[in-house]
Amino acid sequence: MANKLVARKKIATHIIRENSLVKKKRSLKRVVILVIIICMLIAATVLLILHFVLNGNSNYPIDIGIYSYEIINKYNHIHDPIIGKQANVDSIIHQRYINNHPFTQGLLYIDGNTLIESSGLYAVSYLRKFKLNTGATERYYNLTNNYFAEGIALVVEPETYRKFIFVLTYKENTILVFDYNTFELYNTFEHDLNGYGLTSNLDPIHSIEDLKNGKFANYQKLWTTSGSEFLYELEIPNNFKKTNKINIINKKKVTCAGFTIKHINELEYHLQEKTIYANIFMTNLVIEIDISRGSCLKIINLSGLIDQNTNKQKTERNRESFLNGIAINPVNSKEALPNLLVTGKFWPNLFEIKLVKTNGMNPNSVLVEYFKTIRHNNP
């Protein structure tokens, strides 16, 4: 009997030990699984952080402001019949062109009511200075038939502090250099990119003496785009007459909400924030770009603005009537959120708009139009 009790105790002890081992194994298994899950979560978090850091937007989505607009003023965008009439222009091209409004490629203020604009298309491209309130052209230059004008920028020659207007050309790998006061063609530079947008950090209302005293040439900058996802910084030669080519000295990939943004087009530098506003070609979107990182700080949705043009039906029917052209009035360029002057290709109007912040919107929902455009044009 005693032996049986001892045997039962041994069996019970063995069972208890076995159960204890099973429980320990199960606990260990749970711990291992938990550790694996934690490691996977940490790895995923690290990869996500790296994704946004490498795409130049480590603060997504907190820092991206979503904006709509309110129209403050509406101006006539007049195609002056005295300009854009180059010699030997095909009659069909000429007729198509003179019946429309400027094919805006570049737009910049030089004072509160005076702007310089470049208008594109082969055989009818031009550069003009005009009054905003009347649309009257004060000075112009018709480009030769082989040039398609693109973005423009105001630049000072470092050696002399003389002001010039740089005009990009589309596929000619050429920048045309015009005297600011006379609009005479001064020189041409070769460069390695297709031309889309161009801007500089020059304040147009500063006098030559102010620029000299502030040694502006030491920190003057010039940026361009080629229709790709990059914002390029171009060198500024010391003497514009002795230079035949300018080179790329830096480039940044432009991203928004962690996504690479292609089709960066017309540019406008914002003096106060030291950022760049940019059209995204073939969309109704404008983004504000952090130059040092390439990431977007604001997405501005201008959907519906084309419908506010005087001749809405004609503008909408034109397949090339994309939003294009951004300018900041130097009078309010020191504001953190300045009004913008915007227009489009063949648009009969220019619009001064106030930016209105839209709360509670995810950047991805605003970028849907961009993604659709990319898919449509890159099958």
Side-chain angles (χ1 to χ4, degrees):
M1 187 70 177
N3 290 336
K4 286 183 179 180
L5 288 172
V6 171
R8 285 176 181 173
K9 284 181 180 180
K10 285 182 178 180
I11 292 170
T13 301
H14 179 73
I15 291 171
I16 291 170
R17 286 176 180 172
E18 286 292 326
N19 289 338
S20 178
L21 286 172
V22 169
K23 287 180 180 179
K24 285 181 179 179
K25 286 180 180 179
R26 286 176 179 172
S27 297
L28 183 61
K29 187 176 180 180
R30 290 193 190 101
V31 170
V32 170
I33 292 171
L34 184 61
V35 168
I36 290 171
I37 291 171
I38 291 171
C39 289
M40 290 175 68
L41 288 172
I42 291 171
T45 302
V46 170
L47 289 172
L48 189 62
I49 291 171
L50 283 174
H51 168 72
F52 290 119
V53 168
L54 292 174
N55 280 280
N57 198 357
S58 58
N59 293 324
Y60 167 74
I62 298 171
D63 287 349
I64 300 178
I66 309 299
Y67 290 80
S68 60
Y69 63 93
E70 176 186 334
I71 297 174
I72 304 299
N73 287 303
K74 179 178 177 179
Y75 303 94
N76 289 329
H77 197 197
I78 299 169
H79 176 76
D80 198 319
I82 68 170
I83 59 180
K85 288 189 174 182
Q86 286 86 326
N88 302 318
V89 176
D90 181 274
S91 59
I92 296 175
I93 295 176
H94 194 194
Q95 189 64 34
R96 165 177 172 251
Y97 187 68
I98 63 174
N99 288 337
N100 288 287
H101 299 272
F103 193 80
T104 304
Q105 298 292 76
L107 190 67
L108 61 87
Y109 273 100
I110 57 173
D111 64 39
N113 187 45
T114 310
L115 293 104
I116 296 175
E117 177 181 41
S118 57
S119 180
L121 297 175
Y122 287 110
V124 286
S125 287
Y126 62 79
L127 177 70
R128 71 163 179 156
K129 177 182 176 183
F130 72 100
K131 290 296 183 184
L132 179 61
N133 60 347
T134 64
T137 298
E138 294 189 335
R139 186 172 287 112
Y140 69 93
Y141 184 98
N142 290 335
L143 274 61
T144 54
N145 295 352
N146 57 310
Y147 286 128
F148 186 127
E150 287 282 349
I152 57 176
L154 194 59
V155 186
V156 295
E157 184 179 49
E159 189 175 281
T160 63
Y161 276 87
R162 183 177 165 188
K163 286 184 180 180
F164 290 89
I165 305 163
F166 284 13
V167 180
L168 274 180
T169 57
Y170 181 30
K171 292 187 176 181
E172 293 71 55
N173 300 117
T174 302
I175 293 177
L176 307 175
V177 182
F178 290 91
D179 181 273
Y180 172 75
N181 294 308
T182 66
F183 272 39
E184 292 179 358
L185 183 61
Y186 184 74
N187 198 9
T188 60
F189 300 147
E190 294 179 11
H191 70 114
D192 296 326
L193 301 169
N194 284 341
Y196 274 64
L198 192 69
T199 194
S200 74
N201 62 339
L202 174 60
D203 186 344
I205 62 176
H206 277 176
S207 68
I208 297 299
E209 287 305 313
D210 288 340
L211 295 171
K212 281 183 179 179
N213 293 336
K215 298 182 179 179
F216 173 73
N218 293 338
Y219 55 91
Q220 182 175 212
K221 301 285 186 181
L222 181 66
W223 298 273
T224 189
T225 55
S226 64
S228 69
E229 67 270 36
F230 291 105
L231 177 68
Y232 298 91
E233 183 182 345
L234 299 177
E235 68 173 334
I236 300 175
N238 196 48
N239 183 298
F240 293 169
K241 200 67 171 179
K242 296 178 181 178
T243 303
N244 295 318
K245 183 175 181 179
I246 60 176
N247 299 308
I248 299 165
I249 58 176
N250 194 13
K251 71 176 182 179
K252 286 286 182 181
K253 181 184 287 187
V254 177
T255 64
C256 202
F259 298 99
T260 298
I261 302 296
K262 298 182 179 180
H263 301 329
I264 304 300
N265 198 12
E266 221 271 296
L267 305 174
E268 175 73 1
Y269 183 77
H270 183 201
L271 287 164
Q272 178 63 27
E273 298 298 310
K274 296 180 173 56
T275 57
I276 289 176
Y277 285 85
N279 285 116
I280 302 178
F281 185 42
M282 296 183 289
T283 76
N284 293 309
L285 302 179
V286 171
I287 60 174
E288 183 186 21
I289 302 170
D290 180 322
I291 299 169
S292 62
R293 298 191 306 166
S295 55
C296 77
L297 303 173
K298 294 183 181 70
I299 306 173
I300 304 160
N301 187 357
L302 300 185
S303 295
L305 187 60
I306 190 172
D307 298 331
Q308 304 305 313
N309 278 284
T310 301
N311 194 337
K312 173 186 172 182
Q313 289 77 18
K314 185 177 180 181
T315 307
E316 286 182 332
R317 282 199 304 269
N318 196 315
R319 62 185 180 85
E320 297 173 315
S321 294
F322 298 115
L323 182 76
N324 205 44
I326 313 168
I328 297 174
N329 193 322
V331 173
N332 65 9
S333 63
K334 299 298 173 66
E335 298 175 8
L337 194 65
N339 291 350
L340 302 180
L341 185 73
V342 295
T343 189
K345 300 175 181 183
F346 292 141
W347 282 24
N349 296 107
L350 302 109
F351 299 92
E352 181 186 356
I353 59 170
K354 175 184 177 181
L355 302 184
V356 180
K357 189 163 188 179
T358 305
N359 295 316
M361 287 195 71
N362 187 301
N364 291 359
S365 63
V366 187
L367 290 172
V368 165
E369 180 188 354
Y370 164 75
F371 297 132
K372 287 180 179 177
T373 300
I374 291 296
R375 284 197 297 270
H376 177 73
N377 291 282
N378 297 278

